[in-house]
Amino acid sequence: MGVIHASHTTEAMTLLEPYLPPSAPADDPNAEHPTVSATGGYAEGGSLYALGLIHGSHAGSSTEKRLEASTFLRKHLRNSHANEVISHGAALGVGLTSFGSADLEVVGELKELLYTDSAVAGEAASYAMGMVLVGSGAGNASSSAGEELAELVAELRNYSRETHHEKIIRGIAMCLALVNYGQEENADATIEEMRGDRDPIIRYGAMYGLALAYCGTGSNKAIRILLHTAVSDVSDDVRMAAVIGLAFVLHKTPERVPDLVRLLLESFNPHVRYASCMAVGIAMAGTGDSDSVALLEPMLTDMTDYVRQGALLGTAMIYMQQSDTCNNRKIKIFREKLANLVGDKHQTTLTKMGAILSTGLLDAGGRNCVISLGSRNGFTKMTSAAGLVLWLQHWHWYPLMHMFSLAVTPTCTIGLNKDFKYPKKFEVQCNSKPSVFAYPKKLEEKKEEKKKRVETVALSTTAKSKARLARKKAKEDAESGGDSAESAMDVDKKEEECESKKEEGKEEEKAEGMDIDGEGAKEDKPKKKREPEPTSFRISNPSRITKAQAEVCAFDLDQRYRPIRHAEKPYGVIMLTDSTPGEEEDLGAVKTPAAEEEADPPEPFEWTPPGHPDHPDTKVDEKESGKGEGDEKPAADSTAAN
């Protein structure tokens, strides 16, 4: 719900009210907070996390609303230490609503939760501190962050050596990685110290720290360290993080990534193969590059299930926002493969999970969003980079799967006038066939064909045997003194009638055949000529224009509304000037997410885990086993008879 309603901040509290944990009345400051139970709380914790996801998107969330949500979440964070499920949801929500604020007070409250030494809540608190301090460079020698933040980072390093929970250690390692986002050389000392640590989880964080510190720089030093670690470290997780880090460092020159990881895709280590698939997918996301797809194709049939998962996710990222004509229509085959994998009960859980996630990635945001680490003007986006790194941690912790919503960017083109309204008569010229950048066709439900009853065919041998039995019966009647002559005559008449009907049927068939050969040939309808597809078309305002499509689009400077900067590509928000301001305008206003109409909620349903008696797969297996038992019994009887 948090991902679906991202940026719908006005209705957020009303939407989540049935699931939110009880809290003290807002109008009574002296009222005590209701006591939190130590058990349960999954819906309550999830709703707090969802509230953070709704406000975590910077696109449509105002500072006032974010502050209000952050205050609400912090109140629950302070009072939910007894229940790690609720406190972990509150911690992630606080991290998202205070993203990049470097608020010392918020960090202090998260540190209190961390020191409870609860594995789940401590990991969430660590990730949340990383989100609050992202890009601050706290703890580095030449950092502009205050001494208090530097001391706090030093405390985190010490605590990672003291605690025995791997979850907390991983959370702290990723927190340090997020802190060093965009720091480049300033982060070298911290990263070098983490790289030399004996704990592989800290070294794992060092690889992501290096990737974020040099994100988009293309630094040869960072690439050299990542490649060296990818082939030399003793920990599989560290090697995996090093390979994925290449995609972040080289996101401005993505075509270099497939060449770098080409040999790593043939590695004996399945973790390295998985990471190579993900690196290619992240780097080439939304391009539809046929060479990259061909590179990942052999991995779709790999022996290891999570490598197949990585290949599915990587291919889906490459195919994001691509039409059905992409890559010689191979995208259609890939979609069919995903549908078959999801329904195949013989596939492993990880492969099925990869197919389900890939189906979502292909159609992310209604096919209007794409993974993009860079802005329109070439700057690296901190929210996208941090969101993508956090999403990749779903390998260890599934709740972070929803962080993918921070990594995607809408690919829209909208022209606005001086009043920030869009003129409906403004258009963009696209010098390409419409099918190249068209939306894929919607899925159609298969209509069940009603089975027609077929008349049984009477064989000639059957008719003869019936006639023979009739004659025999007639003779028996004659011997018994009945009307023998009349019955014999009746049998002969029936035989004659059958023969005459057969002859008539043959003559009719011949006549019909003659009609088909003669008259039917004249009545053949002329085939409709397929009209050639236009080589260009015009795009209305506003509309979806992908990055690849923007390269073949141009502004029409002869129309009424013209862009202020006409030399740029028609992509993103375009400010327009009116050449005839006195004439009447046909304008449209951009609606805020809260003002948009929402889809109806799904019908109520009960979820059952695999293996449960009421699960659909279990029922199918029981039916099949029942059929098998029923089939075996006749076989046993037949052998006994023999």
Side-chain angles (χ1 to χ4, degrees):
M1 287 177 72
V3 175
I4 292 169
H5 296 277
S7 299
H8 290 224
T9 55
T10 309
E11 302 294 329
M13 296 299 290
T14 310
L15 180 75
L16 298 171
E17 192 176 1
Y19 313 99
L20 289 168
S23 57
D27 54 352
D28 188 1
N30 299 321
E32 291 185 4
H33 195 279
T35 54
V36 177
S37 173
T39 57
Y42 291 97
E44 290 84 350
S47 62
L48 295 173
Y49 184 20
L51 186 62
L53 288 167
I54 289 171
H55 289 274
S57 172
H58 287 242
S61 181
S62 65
T63 308
E64 185 183 347
K65 286 285 182 184
R66 286 169 64 85
L67 184 61
E68 185 183 328
S70 180
T71 306
F72 176 81
L73 290 165
R74 284 168 62 188
K75 190 190 296 181
H76 282 285
L77 178 68
R78 290 190 294 270
N79 294 284
S80 62
H81 288 193
N83 188 315
E84 68 175 8
V85 178
I86 296 177
S87 57
H88 107 276
L92 290 172
V94 167
L96 286 162
T97 51
S98 303
F99 192 92
S101 64
D103 190 324
L104 193 61
E105 192 177 345
V106 174
V107 174
E109 291 175 3
L110 291 167
K111 187 178 72 170
E112 286 178 18
L113 178 61
L114 174 66
Y115 285 164
T116 58
D117 209 40
S118 166
V120 174
E123 184 177 15
S126 303
Y127 282 123
M129 280 192 278
M131 286 187 267
V132 175
L133 298 173
V134 63
S136 64
N140 296 337
S142 56
S143 171
S144 58
E147 291 182 7
E148 291 180 350
L149 285 176
E151 288 175 9
L152 187 135
V153 169
E155 282 182 39
L156 289 176
R157 289 180 192 167
N158 293 332
Y159 189 68
S160 68
R161 299 185 185 97
E162 293 170 6
T163 185
H164 299 291
H165 294 295
E166 283 190 3
K167 282 180 168 290
I168 293 177
I169 298 169
R170 184 175 294 109
I172 291 172
M174 291 309 301
C175 171
L176 296 174
L178 290 167
V179 165
N180 287 299
Y181 167 80
Q183 294 297 305
E184 299 187 26
E185 288 85 358
N186 294 341
D188 284 352
T190 304
I191 292 168
E192 201 62 37
E193 185 183 341
M194 292 173 71
R195 280 181 61 213
D197 201 286
R198 292 177 62 183
D199 192 336
I201 300 174
I202 298 295
R203 298 201 302 275
Y204 172 86
M207 293 302 103
Y208 277 111
L210 187 65
L212 287 172
Y214 288 93
C215 187
T217 60
S219 168
N220 288 329
K221 179 178 72 173
I223 293 167
R224 187 172 62 252
I225 293 170
L226 291 170
L227 285 173
H228 174 72
T229 308
V231 296
S232 64
D233 201 279
V234 294
S235 170
D236 290 336
D237 285 346
V238 178
R239 296 174 72 175
M240 180 176 73
V243 176
I244 292 174
L246 292 168
F248 287 86
V249 177
L250 294 170
H251 85 78
K252 289 184 180 177
T253 52
E255 62 281 353
R256 291 176 59 189
V257 176
D259 293 332
L260 272 175
V261 303
R262 192 179 296 274
L263 292 175
L264 295 174
L265 279 164
E266 299 172 8
S267 171
F268 69 91
N269 190 316
H271 284 74
V272 173
R273 296 201 301 275
Y274 166 86
S276 301
C277 294
M278 294 298 286
V280 173
I282 292 167
M284 306 302 291
T287 60
D289 186 53
S290 57
D291 293 335
S292 301
V293 172
L295 202 62
L296 299 184
E297 204 167 350
M299 299 293 106
L300 294 171
T301 54
D302 196 275
M303 294 291 290
T304 311
D305 54 359
Y306 56 81
V307 177
R308 295 198 297 273
Q309 183 195 81
L312 289 169
L313 291 172
T315 308
M317 285 189 267
I318 295 169
Y319 276 145
M320 285 177 84
Q321 289 196 319
Q322 300 302 310
S323 68
D324 287 334
T325 60
C326 176
N327 199 8
N328 294 325
R329 299 188 182 275
K330 284 186 179 179
I331 184 172
K332 200 171 183 181
I333 299 167
F334 180 68
R335 282 181 181 274
E336 290 170 1
K337 183 182 179 69
L338 292 178
N340 293 333
L341 286 172
V342 171
D344 188 358
K345 63 181 180 181
H346 300 294
Q347 290 293 336
T348 62
T349 304
L350 285 176
T351 308
K352 270 190 174 184
M353 175 185 157
I356 293 165
L357 286 174
S358 300
T359 306
L361 289 177
L362 277 174
D363 301 329
R367 300 164 181 163
N368 295 319
C369 292
V370 71
I371 295 172
S372 179
L373 293 175
S375 68
R376 177 186 175 188
N377 296 321
F379 295 104
T380 304
K381 293 190 289 187
M382 183 172 69
T383 310
S384 297
L388 197 56
V389 164
L390 289 168
W391 174 69
L392 290 166
Q393 305 315 305
H394 76 258
W395 174 275
H396 300 287
W397 204 33
Y398 287 152
L400 294 173
M401 209 175 281
H402 299 298
M403 293 293 181
F404 185 78
S405 59
L406 301 179
V408 291
T409 304
T411 52
C412 67
T413 294
I414 177 167
L416 301 175
N417 66 1
K418 57 182 174 56
D419 299 320
F420 295 104
K421 292 183 178 181
Y422 61 89
K424 294 180 180 179
K425 291 183 179 179
F426 171 68
E427 292 180 330
V428 174
Q429 178 75 16
C430 182
N431 299 314
S432 173
K433 292 181 178 179
S435 62
V436 177
F437 300 106
Y439 283 97
K441 289 181 181 178
K442 293 181 179 179
L443 291 173
E444 295 179 357
E445 290 186 11
K446 291 183 179 178
K447 295 180 181 178
E448 293 184 3
E449 294 181 1
K450 292 182 179 179
K451 294 181 180 178
K452 294 179 181 178
R453 294 186 69 181
V454 181
E455 294 181 6
T456 53
V457 180
L459 300 174
S460 59
T461 53
T462 310
K464 285 178 181 178
S465 63
K466 284 181 179 179
R468 199 183 302 115
L469 289 169
R471 278 195 296 270
K472 191 177 180 182
K473 191 177 180 183
K475 285 179 183 179
E476 289 174 357
D477 291 342
E479 289 172 3
S480 62
D483 298 333
S484 57
E486 288 179 9
S487 59
M489 288 290 288
D490 290 341
V491 170
D492 294 337
K493 281 179 182 178
K494 285 179 182 177
E495 286 182 2
E496 287 174 7
E497 284 174 7
C498 289
E499 286 176 5
S500 63
K501 282 179 181 178
K502 285 180 184 177
E503 287 174 3
E504 285 174 9
K506 286 178 181 178
E507 287 175 4
E508 285 176 6
E509 285 177 7
K510 284 179 182 178
E512 285 174 7
M514 291 292 288
D515 291 341
I516 290 166
D517 294 338
E519 295 173 10
K522 295 175 184 177
E523 293 177 3
D524 283 345
K525 292 180 180 179
K527 292 182 179 179
K528 290 183 179 180
K529 289 184 179 180
R530 194 174 181 181
E531 294 181 4
E533 192 177 4
T535 55
S536 65
F537 64 102
R538 295 177 78 82
I539 302 168
S540 60
N541 181 39
S543 187
R544 182 193 78 159
I545 294 183
T546 63
K547 281 189 176 181
Q549 189 177 4
E551 298 298 321
V552 294
C553 288
F555 292 116
D556 181 6
L557 301 178
D558 295 331
Q559 59 184 327
R560 176 179 175 180
Y561 299 98
R562 299 165 190 171
I564 294 171
R565 302 175 67 181
H566 54 80
E568 287 192 352
K569 295 291 181 185
Y571 185 75
V573 178
I574 303 161
M575 297 309 296
L576 305 172
T577 56
D578 188 355
S579 58
T580 54
E583 293 181 11
E584 189 178 346
E585 294 183 285
D586 185 8
L587 303 172
V590 180
K591 291 182 180 179
T592 60
E596 292 177 358
E597 293 182 5
E598 295 183 11
D600 294 330
E603 293 180 4
F605 65 93
E606 290 185 10
W607 181 83
T608 53
H612 193 275
D614 295 332
H615 194 271
D617 290 348
T618 311
K619 290 180 180 178
V620 170
D621 292 341
E622 286 176 0
K623 284 181 183 177
E624 288 181 357
S625 62
K627 283 181 184 177
E629 288 170 8
D631 294 342
E632 287 172 6
K633 285 179 182 178
D637 294 340
S638 63
T639 50
N642 292 333

